[in-house]
């Protein structure tokens, strides 16, 4: 069953929440090397050439990292907000918080005010990044879920790209307007997000959970039955949600501690590590501090904005290379995509580490004034570093980028989904904060070994995915529960079906949804992935009448 226009519209509006994160990334990365910014938040005085030296590496790391710290708290808060007020209203509330934070950032006169505004922006990004995937997951048909949730990552890449070139254009403006204009413009998409979602429906699963069954069925009919509440797919979805909710009501007053119960801790760890590993790929190093890396590769001179344009190329690559995931993620499945991404990123990071180790000139500690000057490479090795960096981004964009948002919401039962995704997303932001703060200091102290650390992380995540991450593509959210059922024959206690034995049953799901929509025939599936060739008529009266003719 293809998603109808209403589902696409909801997804397109909701993922603007992801674009806010993208705006934040490049509203810093494209500005931190410019003189107006360095002079406004100058802590270290002036260099021999008369240029402002700007904040220290420690302070700059804190300015960047304070946003993901706010996102950590926002993500944790979002679980409560989502369960109490609904998925849609949580995202709308996050958009209002973003506007407040952007006003503070735009008006910042010192680093303290800038950090307060970025912390408030972080609260918004934490809420939206946690609950937008939940909202889209719960309104999407199974065969389109990966594509629709991947729009979140694509929106992030578009936010990065759009804001980067806004900042690049504004870099030619003299004075503080060069960074205040883009910081002010980032309020506009948040206003569009709030207004656009105003008339869209709430998640049918959340409505059912709140005893609003009639509304839930109406939303299902509108989204998946072309307005017909008797459509077979609508009926089946309604019955599955009803069964899941009734079972979950046996466990009233769900607490955070249930995420760590023996029957749940496995999938909790998988969801949390999906987000942790996505940060430990090192991708945000490439985003926040790309001007540093390319300055090391000789693409900029002190006081020049020349590094901004070549740095922007990687953001174009990020947008373009996310498109394959939108088209084929549900066909590829989650496991193969994550494994391929981890292997490729490990390769490019290793190449960069070798090139910097062999060919960089590392000044003495007193010879450089910023992290961007801690290494210097020129000639063919510098070009190879730039190419390897671009290939790294091209490997992340269709793999860990979209899957890290798509995968966690698919793992959990309805009663825990809001809290579980909030916990997983908070882990993302905790590590985002640590890395944003760590990287400038790390470049100054351990130089090229930074790349070795991230390459080792990519090797570890490859092994973790292979042995622990099950396939969830093209399964209903209720069917995913069966994967983690450790009471089934052959299952591993506290784990369920071994991850490497799970399959992507796309053909089965397509046949079933097509049959539901066109003829009312549903494919019967048994033993989680083994399909028998029996078709069950869900319209027996209709079939009898047709046989009579």
């Amino acid at each position: 069953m293809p998603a109808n226009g209403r589902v696409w519209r909801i997804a397109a509006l909701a993922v603007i929440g992801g674009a806010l994160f993208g705006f934040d990334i490049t509203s810093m990365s494209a500005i931190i090397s410019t003189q107006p910014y360095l002079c406004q938040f100058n802590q270290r005085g002036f260099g021999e050439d008369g240029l402002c030296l700007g904040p220290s590496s420690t302070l700059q790391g804190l300015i960047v990292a304070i946003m993901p710290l706010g996102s950590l708290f926002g993500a944790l808060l979002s679980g409560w907000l989502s369960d109490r007020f609904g998925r849609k209203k949580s995202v709308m509330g996050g958009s209002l918080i973003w506007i407040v934070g952007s006003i503070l950032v735009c008006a910042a006169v010192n680093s303290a005010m800038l950090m307060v505004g970025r912390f408030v922006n972080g609260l918004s990004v934490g809420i939206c990044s946690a609950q937008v995937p939940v909202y889209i997951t719960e309104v999407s048909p199974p065969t389109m879920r990966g594509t629709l949730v991947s729009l979140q990552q694509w929106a992030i890449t578009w936010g990065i790209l759009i804001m980067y070139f806004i900042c690049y254009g504004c870099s030619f403006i003299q004075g503080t307007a060069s960074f205040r204009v883009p910081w002010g413009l980032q309020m506009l998409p948040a206003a569009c997000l709030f207004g656009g979602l105003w008339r869209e429906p709430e998640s049918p699963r959340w409505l059912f959970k709140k005893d609003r069954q009639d509304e839930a069925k109406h939303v299902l009919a509108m989204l998946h039955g072309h307005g017909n509440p008797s459509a077979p797919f609508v009926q089946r979805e309604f019955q599955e949600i009803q069964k899941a909710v009734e079972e979950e009501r046996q466990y009233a007053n769900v607490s955070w501690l249930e995420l760590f119960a023996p029957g749940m801790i496995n999938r909790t760890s998988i969801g949390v590590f999906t987000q942790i590993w996505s940060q430990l790929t090192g991708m945000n190093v490439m985003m926040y501090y790309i001007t540093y890396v390319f300055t090391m590769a000789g693409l900029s001179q002190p006081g020049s904005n020349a590094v901004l344009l070549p740095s922007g190329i990687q953001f174009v690559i990020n947008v373009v290379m996310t498109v394959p995931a939108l088209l084929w993620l549900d066909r590829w499945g989650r496991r193969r995509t994550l494994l391929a991404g981890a292997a490729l990123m490990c390769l490019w990071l290793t190449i960069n580490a070798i090139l910097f180790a062999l060919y960089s000139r590392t000044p003495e500690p007193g010879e450089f004034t910023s992290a961007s000057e801690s290494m210097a490479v020129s000639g063919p090795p510098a070009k190879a570093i730039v190419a390897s960096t671009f290939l790294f981004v091209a490997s992340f964009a269709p793999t860990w980028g979209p899957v890290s948002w798509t995968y966690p919401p698919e793992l959990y039962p309805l009663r825990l989904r809001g809290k579980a995704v909030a916990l997983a997303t908070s882990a993302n932001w905790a590590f985002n904060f640590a890395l944003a703060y760590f990287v400038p200091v790390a470049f100054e102290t351990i130089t090229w070994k930074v790349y070795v650390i991230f390459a080792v992380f990519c090797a570890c995540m490859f092994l973790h995915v292979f042995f622990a991450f099950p396939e969830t593509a093209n399964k209903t959210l209720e069917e995913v529960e069966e994967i983690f059922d450790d009471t089934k024959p052959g299952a591993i206690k506290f784990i369920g079906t071994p991850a490497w034995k799970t399959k992507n049953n796309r053909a089965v799901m397509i046949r079933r949804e097509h049959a539901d929509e066109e003829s009312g025939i549903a494919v019967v599936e048994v033993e989680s992935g083994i399909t028998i060739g029996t078709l069950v008529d869900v319209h027996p009266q209709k079939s009898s009448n047709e046989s009579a003719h």
Side-chain angles (χ1 to χ4, degrees):
M1 163 183 282
N4 67 26
R6 191 66 177 268
V7 174
W8 280 103
R9 189 172 76 192
I10 292 171
L13 286 168
V15 298
I16 295 176
L20 301 182
F21 177 34
F23 291 147
D24 177 84
I25 288 175
T26 45
S27 70
M28 289 305 298
S29 66
I31 287 172
I32 58 177
S33 298
T34 63
Q35 275 296 297
Y37 171 85
L38 295 174
C39 291
Q40 178 65 45
F41 304 103
N42 196 5
Q43 184 191 39
R44 297 178 295 158
F46 301 89
E48 294 180 359
D49 51 8
L51 298 175
C52 297
L53 297 178
S56 67
S57 294
T58 301
L59 179 59
Q60 183 56 59
L62 187 58
I63 290 172
V64 172
I66 200 71
M67 192 285 294
L69 180 63
S71 298
L72 167 62
F73 288 100
L76 291 172
L77 177 65
S78 73
W80 175 81
L81 288 174
S82 178
D83 287 342
R84 183 175 179 82
F85 299 106
R87 317 315 193 200
K88 183 185 79 168
K89 289 182 180 178
S90 296
V91 175
M92 292 174 68
S95 67
L96 294 179
I97 295 172
W98 175 269
I99 292 173
V100 173
S102 297
I103 291 172
L104 292 172
V105 167
C106 183
V109 295
N110 54 45
S111 57
M113 186 174 177
L114 175 60
M115 287 190 286
V116 170
R118 284 181 55 76
F119 183 84
V120 174
N121 273 353
L123 291 173
S124 166
V125 171
I127 293 169
C128 291
S129 63
Q131 297 310 315
V132 164
V134 173
Y135 182 34
I136 297 175
T137 295
E138 294 185 351
V139 301
S140 304
T143 51
M144 294 295 295
R145 193 168 59 231
T147 294
L148 293 171
V149 178
S150 295
L151 288 174
Q152 161 101 338
Q153 178 63 21
W154 205 39
I156 293 173
T157 65
W158 272 108
I160 291 170
L161 180 66
I162 292 169
M163 180 54 68
Y164 193 88
F165 282 103
I166 288 175
C167 291
Y168 175 71
C170 291
S171 70
F172 297 100
I173 301 174
Q174 298 299 315
T176 61
S178 64
F179 59 83
R180 297 197 192 280
V181 170
W183 287 353
L185 288 176
Q186 65 185 4
M187 288 183 276
L188 296 179
C192 294
L193 174 61
F194 182 86
L197 286 182
W198 186 270
R199 298 185 63 184
E200 298 302 334
E202 183 53 83
S203 157
R205 286 173 170 82
W206 183 85
L207 289 170
F208 206 112
K209 185 178 178 181
K210 296 298 181 180
D211 292 321
R212 295 158 64 176
Q213 289 91 337
D214 290 342
E215 291 180 65
K217 193 164 189 177
H218 174 74
V219 172
L220 285 171
M222 177 175 57
L223 298 179
H224 306 306
H226 304 289
N228 178 14
S230 300
F233 185 82
V234 173
Q235 293 286 348
R236 181 166 58 82
E237 281 286 286
F238 186 82
Q239 291 169 5
E240 290 186 354
I241 294 171
Q242 183 180 37
K243 180 181 177 181
V245 170
E246 288 174 353
E247 290 177 353
E248 288 161 6
R249 281 178 176 162
Q250 299 175 16
Y251 307 92
N253 301 319
V254 172
S255 70
W256 288 91
L257 292 177
E258 188 175 344
L259 292 173
F260 303 96
M264 191 60 60
I265 192 170
N266 178 41
R267 68 182 91 180
T268 298
S269 67
I270 292 170
V272 167
F273 266 96
T274 301
Q275 292 285 15
I276 289 175
W277 288 132
S278 74
Q279 288 299 315
L280 294 181
T281 60
M283 179 59 172
N284 275 351
V285 176
M286 302 299 179
M287 292 298 164
Y288 283 128
Y289 299 112
I290 187 60
T291 56
Y292 286 9
V293 175
F294 283 176
T295 297
M296 296 174 193
L299 297 184
S300 179
Q301 298 298 322
S304 168
N305 293 335
V307 74
L308 294 182
L309 190 57
S311 298
I313 294 174
Q314 78 153 4
F315 300 128
V316 175
I317 294 173
N318 197 23
V319 170
V320 173
M321 289 305 296
T322 303
V323 174
L326 300 180
L327 298 176
W328 298 305
L329 180 58
D330 287 304
R331 185 181 300 275
W332 295 341
R334 315 299 186 241
R335 277 177 54 83
R336 283 196 299 177
T337 304
L338 293 174
L339 290 169
L344 289 170
M345 287 185 289
C346 182
L347 172 64
W348 308 127
L349 288 166
T350 301
I351 290 173
N352 266 7
I354 293 172
L355 291 171
F356 271 119
L358 294 179
Y359 298 104
S360 68
R361 182 187 70 83
T362 304
E364 295 297 323
E367 290 184 32
F368 56 87
T369 58
S370 73
S372 64
E373 300 173 6
S374 61
M375 294 183 286
V377 181
S378 59
K383 295 178 181 178
I385 287 171
V386 173
S388 182
T389 300
F390 288 156
L391 289 169
F392 173 88
V393 174
S395 301
F396 176 89
T399 59
W400 280 85
V403 177
S404 64
W405 299 111
T406 304
Y407 193 56
E410 297 177 329
L411 297 171
Y412 306 104
L414 177 62
R415 71 180 184 278
L416 289 171
R417 189 170 298 135
K419 287 184 173 67
V421 174
L423 179 65
T425 307
S426 68
N428 176 306
W429 295 116
F431 277 77
N432 191 319
F433 166 77
L435 292 175
Y437 185 72
F438 154 81
V439 167
V441 178
F443 273 136
E444 286 189 0
T445 55
I446 63 174
T447 60
W448 59 269
K449 299 179 184 69
V450 173
Y451 284 98
V452 175
I453 292 173
F454 286 116
V456 171
F457 284 145
C458 286
C460 292
M461 70 182 70
F462 180 93
L463 296 174
H464 192 191
V465 170
F466 181 83
F467 288 108
F469 285 41
E471 183 59 74
T472 59
N474 295 293
K475 294 177 174 62
T476 67
L477 299 178
E478 289 69 31
E479 286 170 340
V480 172
E481 285 288 299
E482 297 181 13
I483 296 176
F484 296 96
D485 183 0
D486 59 14
T487 64
K488 294 171 57 177
I492 300 174
K493 188 65 174 173
F494 300 131
I495 293 179
T497 305
W500 57 90
K501 291 187 177 180
T502 55
K503 305 296 182 183
N504 177 7
N505 299 314
R506 178 173 175 79
V508 171
M509 182 60 70
I510 290 176
R511 287 201 305 272
R512 184 171 72 181
E513 291 187 354
H514 178 75
D516 275 351
E517 185 175 26
E518 300 296 333
S519 63
I521 304 296
V523 176
V524 176
E525 293 181 82
V526 297
E527 295 300 329
S528 185
I530 302 174
T531 306
I532 61 175
T534 302
L535 296 179
V536 177
D537 193 346
V538 296
H539 295 311
Q541 186 62 44
K542 177 180 176 181
S543 298
S544 299
N545 292 340
E546 289 174 351
S547 298
H549 288 294

